[in-house]
Amino acid sequence: MNKELIPYMWQGFSLGLGLAALFGPIFIALSKAALQKGGRAGFRVGLGIWFSDVVIVLMMYYLISQLVPFLENSIFYFWLGQLGGIVLFGMGFITLIRKTDLSMHSNTGSILEFAGDFLKGVAVNTLNPFTFFFWTGVISTYVIGKKITNQQAIVLLGTTICTIVITDSLKILTVKMIKNHLKSTWMTWIIKGAGCALMVFGIILIVRTNSSF
């Protein structure tokens, strides 16, 4: 590998690690899926999250000059924040009121189940304004601002996404291992707590976007 690309790998690793350290709705969504339906469900949600990240990065990288004015528009973030808050609150509310099923019979790997978990991941990540703030900052600062080459940008952004995938996978596996040592009543309360946390994140998102508009 070209030694000139190593600094961009480290930058991408640092950015991905920094994002992984944050506790937010994405972590809650991954943990809830892994606790409730097992590691495979967690990875299906994770695939949706990672797919959303890749689409957003590609879209913004190739259309940055057209998208930046749009993404910096406060109206865009207002409606994205409102919609995202409603989705998070709704997911949390459904989790809270729905009877918790800790059996693994639902983890069949059917197409409908895969699509449902995958779309949950896409929704949680895409409707989270922080996702756009993060990638806008990375691309505008590290890619456009520093005027790096396409190869350097691919290494930086690719390493960032790979780091996110690896750390999210470790979170899912950790939750899966913990699940095997928890009593069913504890897992029920943890899942209900995750639902409450999603509702809180949704309310905070709605309030913040309203106050900043």
Side-chain angles (χ1 to χ4, degrees), residues 40-57:
R40 291 183 181 179
F43 279 108
R44 289 194 292 265
V45 173
L47 282 174
I49 292 170
W50 307 327
F51 174 79
S52 171
D53 274 331
V54 171
V55 171
I56 291 173
V57 168

Side-chain angles (χ1 to χ4, degrees), residues 25 28-29 32 85 88-89 91-92 95 193-203:
I28 294 294
K32 186 175 79 69
L88 290 178
F89 184 88
M91 291 174 61
T95 300
C196 291
L198 284 175
M199 292 175 65
V200 171
F201 279 119
I203 294 172

Side-chain angles (χ1 to χ4, degrees), residues 24-197:
I26 292 175
F27 174 77
I28 294 294
L30 289 171
S31 300
K32 186 175 79 69
L35 276 172
Q36 192 164 17
K37 295 195 292 182
R40 291 183 181 179
F43 279 108
R44 289 194 292 265
V45 173
L47 282 174
I49 292 170
W50 307 327
F51 174 79
S52 171
D53 274 331
V54 171
V55 171
I56 291 173
V57 168
L58 291 175
M59 179 180 65
M60 293 175 64
Y61 180 69
Y62 289 107
L63 302 175
I64 191 70
S65 58
Q66 289 79 21
L67 287 179
V68 165
F70 175 67
L71 292 175
E72 291 178 346
N73 191 316
S74 60
I75 296 177
F76 170 78
Y77 278 110
F78 172 77
W79 288 112
L80 182 65
Q82 297 298 296
L83 182 59
I86 292 171
V87 169
L88 290 178
F89 184 88
M91 291 174 61
F93 182 73
I94 292 173
T95 300
L96 188 63
I97 65 173
R98 186 171 59 186
K99 182 179 178 179
T100 303
D101 184 8
L102 296 176
S103 63
M104 300 305 293
H105 69 272
S106 61
N107 193 12
T108 60
S110 67
I111 295 177
L112 287 177
E113 186 178 11
F114 178 91
D117 291 332
F118 179 83
L119 290 175
K120 284 180 184 178
V122 172
V124 168
N125 195 58
T126 304
L127 296 175
N128 181 7
F130 180 78
T131 301
F132 283 88
F133 277 118
F134 176 78
W135 289 118
T136 298
V138 170
I139 293 176
S140 61
T141 303
Y142 291 90
V143 178
I144 304 300
K146 295 185 177 181
K147 298 179 180 180
I148 64 178
T149 66
N150 288 338
Q151 185 182 26
Q152 293 167 341
I154 291 172
V155 170
L156 187 145
L157 297 174
T159 305
T160 304
I161 292 177
C162 287
T163 303
I164 293 171
V165 171
I166 292 171
T167 53
D168 282 351
S169 298
L170 291 175
K171 292 174 185 177
I172 295 169
L173 293 174
T174 300
V175 171
K176 181 183 177 181
M177 288 189 293
I178 293 175
K179 178 180 184 296
N180 296 330
H181 299 284
L182 294 176
K183 296 181 179 179
S184 59
T185 52
W186 295 356
M187 287 192 291
T188 298
W189 281 109
I190 291 174
I191 291 171
K192 297 299 182 183
C196 291

